[in-house]
Amino acid sequence: MKVLVIGGVAAGTKAAAKLKREDRGLDVALITKDQDISYAGCGLPYYVGGMIESRDELIVNTPEKYAALTGVRVLTGREAVELDSGKKLVTAKNLITGETEAYSYDRLVIATGASSAVPPIEGVGLKGVFKMRTPDDAIRIRDYVEAERVKKAVVIGGGFIGLEVAENLLAQGVDVTVMDFASQIMPNVLDPEMADYAQRHLRKQGVRVLTGTKAEKLVGDARVTAVKTASATLPAELVVLSAGIRPNTAFLASSGIEMEKGAIVVDSQLKTNLPGVYAAGDCALVTNRITGRRQWSPMGSSANLEGRTLAQVLAGKEKTYPGVLGTGVVKLPGLNCGRTGLTEAQAKEAGYDVVTVLAVTDDKAHYYPDAAFFATKLIADRKTHKLLGMQVFGPGAVDKMVDIAVMAINMGAVLEDFENADFAYAPPFSTAIHPFVQAVYILLNKINGDLVSMTPAEYAAGAADGYRVIDVAPAPSIRGATFVDLASVNGEIPGIGRDEKLLLVCVRGKRGYFLQNRMKYYGYKNTVVLEGATSFNDVKVKNAQAAVPPAEVTRVKGLGFLFDKRTQDRFNGRVITRNGKITAEESRAIAQAAELYGSGEIAMTSRLTVEIQGVPFDNIEPLREFLAQNGLETGGTGSKVRPVVSCKGTTCQYGLIDTFALSEEIHERFYHGYHDVKLPHKFKIAVGGCPNNCVKPDLNDLGIIGQRIPQVDLEKCRGCKVCQVENTCPIKVAKVRDGKVVIDDSICNHCGRCVGKCPFKAVEAHQDGYRVYIGGRWGKKVAQGKYLDKVFTTKEEVLNVVEKAILLFREQGNTGERFADTVARLGFENVQEQLLSNQLLERKQENLSAQKHMKGGATC
């Protein structure tokens, strides 16, 4: 039997290889458009981020190696262009010779996969705009990021691949915006409240997320410079198109094969409506394992499974493909996300009587180092207790939670099947009662009526309106809520009526359940526990008049909002600018934000950020969302690298360097790039264009000053009685001695004013550079920074010194002390020696990953 396989990535190579193992005597040939076969498509984002170092690591098999291992004939560079199922003939174009070739078959496997869908946007052909589907795409993106020193990128598409690309660009120090036309990220993958949690997390990690936003145009002449939306123009030196994929089935248009939206319809044996023709992988439309309905699930995992099953079918075995669950897992910055089965919406659409729970549990023994959490949503049928789906977040091994759910759904398990399940336990791996079992217990309590709760989705939809919020945390944490000490409840609670509608909110949900249990015993009839509590939900008490709790003041300070101590709940929100420079469009957005969410007043800070005044606590998140939609962000507070300030540089008659370009590069590389790096105290950087020191670089933790070092040609000096060089020198360092002009380099501030002033060109040559000051400080205590002995001649040298200074401060600074204190304690010569060597950079990863438990010392 002659079997022809079209497509050489996952399903095609798996089917062909397995088929030859089933029957070595079969004639199996594989044709593919690409020169590569069997590449790791799911690993492409991690090549961009540098986690995978070389292209070779992405290639599972070369055509030659694969052919030798399997016995399959492999023909690359062949693009199928037509199928004649009556003649059992596939026509293909040889992409090397340009000739047309014909391939006959007894059985045909179509595994052509899918390609990136390019949205119809003006400017997609600009340089710097990429797709993400093949190894070459990933290589081009990483090369472009490195060669062009990309600092700002926009990823169009908020699915798995788009979010993975965003994470890996962030790891490369790129400021990333993700936009999606849908109302949420990962639509049809996560339920809305789960997607909202992920979006909030991404924003905290420095990834701007814009949903319900359409890219209208990519702006630029030869290369992309921005993405224009209906509400803003977002600067972008790189754009990655990840707005979905489409099956590669255009060549089948006249073949008579049955398709839906371009995907090939197959039965349980992956057979199409055409005789002898089968399909598998991203081009095939299979079924959902739970509902039996048709479902397109383009995943590398299911493609491999389909290919293997199809090979067994072709070999004559009684095998069927049961369908997909849409299982997936994605790594986000600092958070992993997994899912399988039906979403809540899909389960309801399928006719189930749906019940869900959101359970936040420990992911391992709470006392074990690096213990974190799982936020698990279980979806089940209320009548049968059958598990239908699950979604989970956590910094750790969410895949183990997903895999348990997959096996349960595959085997038709009901919730009771998990009771007393003897899963593996040891403190480094799990909790004594497995986190999945804990979530099941909570859902069973809800079904049985032992727990009366409100889901995050219900809370977000306003179901808590009319409820009095009871704060059950160990200490008061919800502004305007009534705090109840759980341990002290042994009867009626003073001031709380037994018939009141009460929403019990703690940190994760457990203490709320414990309080509800007690309150039921003491006659309280209308208590409801908020699932996920404050760790998952953004809990607000409407019209709260109480003061904002200290913990919340600290939290929002980290977002750039400083408490106005004259009020109970007003804050001044710092909007980050590029060294004080904003566009007219951004200025209008800030003014509108001030009117909508603040007092309508705007102030400038000494660090050239813009403060929106008088923002009520409850308006902080809406304000941040509004600013994000307009490409703006808040921040610039806390024990971190602060926004950079500089003078006007080359627009000043004394300017020696492009201060704005340098300060913006420092801002992107160290303010954004070191966004999550906590330091002993704030770290301020200033850039001055000349030694006039208008922005006081020597009074910052680190200052950079442009230099122009005059070089005297004594042979041309005529020792004039009236020396123009001497007259020009503003600090009177240039002197004529013994008939020659002399400039004392140890005193000269290198302002360059003397260059070109000698009519005989004795001071014509010069060396441009940068002087770096360290250990300056302005405020309660003043310290004059000292400059390093070396005058740096390249920008890269300066940027390396900046990074080494930050790393030294993190590694050797004590919590609460300013960099000036660190320099004084260690000694200037010691610090200078470290900054002029490369040992700090060699220890960079160890330094940044160290668990220092710094509290920081910045109060504003």
Side-chain angles (χ1 to χ4, degrees):
M1 183 170 69
K2 184 186 290 187
V3 179
L4 177 65
V5 179
I6 309 175
V9 186
T13 54
K14 175 60 73 175
K18 177 65 175 172
L19 192 53
K20 287 293 285 186
R21 291 197 297 272
E22 290 287 326
D23 187 345
R24 188 73 181 175
L26 292 176
D27 178 4
V28 182
L30 184 151
I31 65 172
T32 180
K33 177 181 177 181
D34 298 324
Q35 294 300 319
D36 294 315
I37 69 163
S38 195
Y39 58 78
C42 299
L44 301 182
Y46 302 101
Y47 177 85
V48 172
M51 293 285 289
I52 298 170
E53 293 187 1
S54 71
R55 182 186 192 279
D56 292 342
E57 293 178 80
L58 295 171
I59 309 301
V60 179
N61 271 312
T62 64
E64 296 76 19
K65 181 181 175 183
Y66 175 84
L69 285 172
T70 64
V72 175
R73 287 186 295 114
V74 180
L75 299 168
T76 59
R78 269 75 172 182
E79 180 180 8
V81 294
E82 188 177 4
L83 166 63
D84 188 333
S85 62
K87 295 179 180 179
K88 292 196 170 183
L89 202 66
V90 171
T91 303
K93 181 180 180 181
N94 187 318
L95 300 178
I96 299 172
T97 67
E99 296 176 353
T100 298
E101 300 170 349
Y103 297 90
S104 61
Y105 65 84
D106 296 311
R107 297 289 185 272
L108 175 66
V109 175
I110 303 172
T112 47
S115 297
S116 297
V118 179
I121 309 170
E122 181 183 346
V124 292
L126 290 170
K127 187 177 180 180
V129 180
F130 298 91
K131 297 180 291 183
M132 174 58 81
R133 191 64 181 168
T134 69
D136 287 340
D137 292 331
I139 290 162
R140 282 191 286 265
I141 292 173
R142 190 164 97 178
D143 287 349
Y144 192 82
V145 169
E146 292 171 354
E148 302 297 329
R149 297 176 181 266
V150 170
K151 294 303 176 187
K152 289 184 181 293
V154 172
V155 178
I156 299 177
F160 280 173
I161 295 296
L163 294 175
E164 287 170 344
V165 169
E167 186 214 11
N168 282 279
L169 287 173
L170 190 69
Q172 293 280 45
V174 179
D175 181 30
V176 186
T177 298
V178 175
M179 66 167 58
D180 201 300
F181 184 62
S183 60
Q184 64 170 77
I185 57 172
M186 292 186 276
N188 301 316
V189 173
L190 297 180
D191 283 313
E193 78 279 15
M194 300 296 280
D196 180 67
Y197 178 85
Q199 287 175 219
R200 283 184 275 135
H201 173 82
L202 286 169
R203 289 183 185 126
K204 290 176 185 176
Q205 297 297 311
V207 177
R208 186 181 295 112
V209 180
L210 307 178
T211 53
T213 303
K214 180 181 179 181
E216 297 183 339
K217 179 182 178 181
L218 305 186
V219 180
D221 294 328
R223 65 182 62 203
V224 69
T225 58
V227 177
K228 183 170 178 54
T229 72
S231 60
T233 299
L234 307 173
E237 303 153 84
L238 171 78
V239 173
V240 179
L241 304 175
S242 185
I245 57 175
R246 291 173 182 163
N248 294 324
T249 56
F251 75 100
L252 298 170
S254 60
S255 68
I257 200 167
E258 183 183 359
M259 294 189 285
E260 286 186 12
K261 296 182 178 179
I264 303 166
V265 176
V266 297
D267 64 13
S268 62
Q269 291 194 311
L270 301 162
K271 190 177 186 304
T272 73
N273 65 311
L274 299 180
V277 180
Y278 299 77
D282 292 359
C283 64
L285 185 68
V286 291
T287 57
N288 182 280
R289 188 165 184 149
I290 300 173
T291 66
R293 296 178 180 179
R294 290 175 178 175
Q295 179 170 321
W296 188 43
S297 185
M299 299 287 286
S301 51
S302 52
N304 274 278
L305 296 171
E306 291 164 29
R308 186 179 190 277
T309 300
L310 176 52
Q312 294 173 306
V313 170
L314 293 174
K317 292 186 175 179
E318 288 299 320
K319 291 284 184 177
T320 58
Y321 185 71
V324 295
L325 292 177
T327 306
V329 64
V330 62
K331 184 175 180 292
L332 306 176
L335 187 73
N336 303 318
C337 169
R339 61 91 61 209
T340 192
L342 303 177
T343 64
E344 181 177 355
Q346 290 164 350
K348 289 177 178 177
E349 185 185 353
Y352 289 101
D353 183 7
V354 176
V355 59
T356 73
V357 78
L358 190 286
V360 180
T361 60
D362 292 325
D363 66 347
K364 56 179 71 71
H366 69 274
Y367 52 80
Y368 192 81
D370 297 329
F373 67 92
F374 288 133
T376 306
K377 179 175 182 177
L378 297 181
I379 300 151
D381 180 54
R382 190 185 301 272
K383 295 177 182 176
T384 64
H385 294 191
K386 189 174 182 179
L387 185 65
L388 301 175
M390 70 94 70
Q391 297 158 40
V392 59
F393 292 113
V398 298
D399 57 312
K400 76 175 184 180
M401 298 286 281
V402 174
D403 290 343
I404 292 171
V406 168
M407 286 307 300
I409 295 172
N410 281 358
M411 301 181 73
V414 295
L415 299 175
E416 286 78 4
D417 291 327
F418 291 98
E419 289 193 87
N420 301 313
D422 192 10
F423 288 116
Y425 163 63
F429 302 102
S430 187
T431 51
I433 298 179
H434 194 279
F436 194 94
V437 176
Q438 290 185 50
V440 168
Y441 284 164
I442 296 169
L443 181 52
L444 283 172
N445 282 343
K446 181 174 180 177
I447 292 172
N448 298 334
D450 294 330
L451 166 70
V452 180
S453 64
M454 181 181 295
T455 68
E458 291 168 338
Y459 179 77
D465 290 352
Y467 279 77
R468 181 176 177 180
V469 178
I470 306 298
D471 184 352
V472 201
S477 61
I478 304 171
R479 175 174 166 266
T482 301
F483 177 72
V484 171
D485 179 10
L486 172 64
S488 67
V489 176
N490 292 300
E492 184 178 358
I493 305 172
I496 301 178
R498 285 190 169 93
D499 292 324
E500 278 190 81
K501 296 169 70 175
L502 307 173
L503 183 69
L504 312 183
V505 185
C506 56
V507 177
R508 290 187 171 182
K510 182 186 290 187
R511 292 173 66 89
Y513 169 59
F514 290 167
L515 179 60
Q516 183 180 67
N517 183 268
R518 291 192 189 189
M519 293 181 78
K520 281 183 181 179
Y521 180 79
Y522 294 120
Y524 289 87
K525 301 174 183 177
N526 294 310
T527 63
V528 177
V529 176
L530 179 59
E531 297 172 15
T534 57
S535 63
F536 190 88
N537 303 276
D538 184 15
V539 179
K540 294 285 191 300
V541 176
K542 288 187 176 181
N543 303 316
Q545 300 300 316
V548 179
E552 285 296 278
V553 171
T554 301
R555 180 183 69 83
V556 299
K557 184 181 78 173
L559 303 176
F561 289 83
L562 300 178
F563 183 46
D564 185 340
K565 299 178 180 62
R566 299 168 299 176
T567 70
Q568 279 195 317
D569 71 337
R570 304 282 163 156
F571 293 77
N572 296 334
R574 291 184 174 177
V575 184
I576 302 303
T577 69
R578 296 173 297 281
N579 192 24
K581 183 178 179 181
I582 54 177
T583 66
E585 191 173 17
E586 290 169 336
S587 180
R588 284 190 289 270
I590 293 171
Q592 188 176 0
E595 290 178 341
L596 290 172
Y597 303 105
S599 66
E601 295 178 318
I602 297 172
M604 290 295 296
T605 73
S606 60
R607 302 303 295 178
L608 300 182
T609 59
V610 177
E611 272 193 0
I612 295 177
Q613 306 289 294
V615 180
F617 178 75
D618 291 344
N619 282 359
I620 288 176
E621 286 306 321
L623 169 61
R624 294 183 73 231
E625 175 68 19
F626 179 86
L627 291 172
Q629 292 287 342
N630 288 276
L632 294 161
E633 62 182 322
T634 62
T637 54
S639 297
K640 299 179 180 182
V641 177
R642 294 295 182 84
V644 186
V645 297
S646 81
C647 67
K648 301 304 180 186
T650 51
T651 64
C652 167
Q653 62 175 321
Y654 305 114
L656 303 175
I657 58 173
D658 187 347
T659 52
F660 183 75
L662 178 59
S663 63
E664 185 167 23
E665 188 157 355
I666 294 171
H667 179 82
E668 293 299 333
R669 186 160 162 180
F670 301 116
Y671 174 72
H672 280 136
Y674 275 63
H675 184 269
D676 295 321
V677 177
K678 182 167 278 191
L679 301 174
H681 213 292
K682 55 193 168 190
F683 191 88
K684 295 181 176 182
I685 303 170
V687 181
C690 74
N692 287 342
N693 293 350
C694 295
V695 291
K696 306 293 187 293
D698 56 341
L699 294 177
N700 278 256
D701 297 288
L702 185 142
I704 301 164
I705 298 175
Q707 301 281 281
R708 180 158 293 164
I709 307 166
Q711 297 176 359
V712 180
D713 186 344
L714 293 178
E715 291 184 1
K716 293 181 179 178
C717 177
R718 300 192 180 183
C720 301
K721 186 178 293 186
V722 178
C723 176
Q724 297 302 320
V725 173
E726 183 177 356
N727 285 347
T728 302
C729 179
I731 61 172
K732 306 305 179 186
V733 170
K735 301 286 185 183
V736 176
R737 293 197 181 111
D738 300 325
K740 296 292 181 180
V741 66
V742 177
I743 301 175
D744 187 341
D745 191 59
S746 65
I747 304 174
C748 176
N749 67 3
H750 304 154
C751 70
R753 299 300 304 281
C754 61
V755 173
K757 296 299 188 291
C758 175
F760 304 104
K761 302 189 183 303
V763 188
E764 201 70 21
H766 61 87
Q767 173 69 60
D768 286 342
Y770 311 82
R771 174 159 274 166
V772 176
Y773 285 76
I774 60 170
R777 179 172 62 194
W778 185 259
K780 287 179 288 188
K781 295 180 180 179
V782 178
Q784 193 85 25
K786 291 182 64 177
Y787 59 78
L788 303 181
D789 291 342
K790 180 178 179 180
V791 175
F792 301 93
T793 56
T794 69
K795 181 175 66 173
E796 198 55 43
E797 283 183 306
V798 174
L799 293 172
N800 281 338
V801 169
V802 173
E803 184 160 30
K804 285 184 277 190
I806 297 167
L807 292 171
L808 184 145
F809 191 30
R810 174 173 167 80
E811 181 182 80
Q812 300 168 40
N814 294 328
T815 291
E817 72 178 7
R818 290 294 300 272
F819 188 52
D821 302 322
T822 305
V823 173
R825 178 169 52 80
L826 298 177
F828 176 83
E829 295 302 328
N830 176 3
V831 172
Q832 175 171 244
E833 183 180 349
Q834 293 190 66
L835 296 184
L836 295 180
S837 72
N838 286 321
Q839 292 180 359
L840 284 159
L841 292 176
E842 292 167 3
R843 299 195 300 270
K844 175 180 175 180
Q845 292 308 317
E846 177 187 349
N847 184 350
L848 296 182
S849 61
Q851 299 295 317
K852 290 183 172 291
H853 305 292
M854 289 181 175
K855 294 181 180 179
T859 57
C860 63

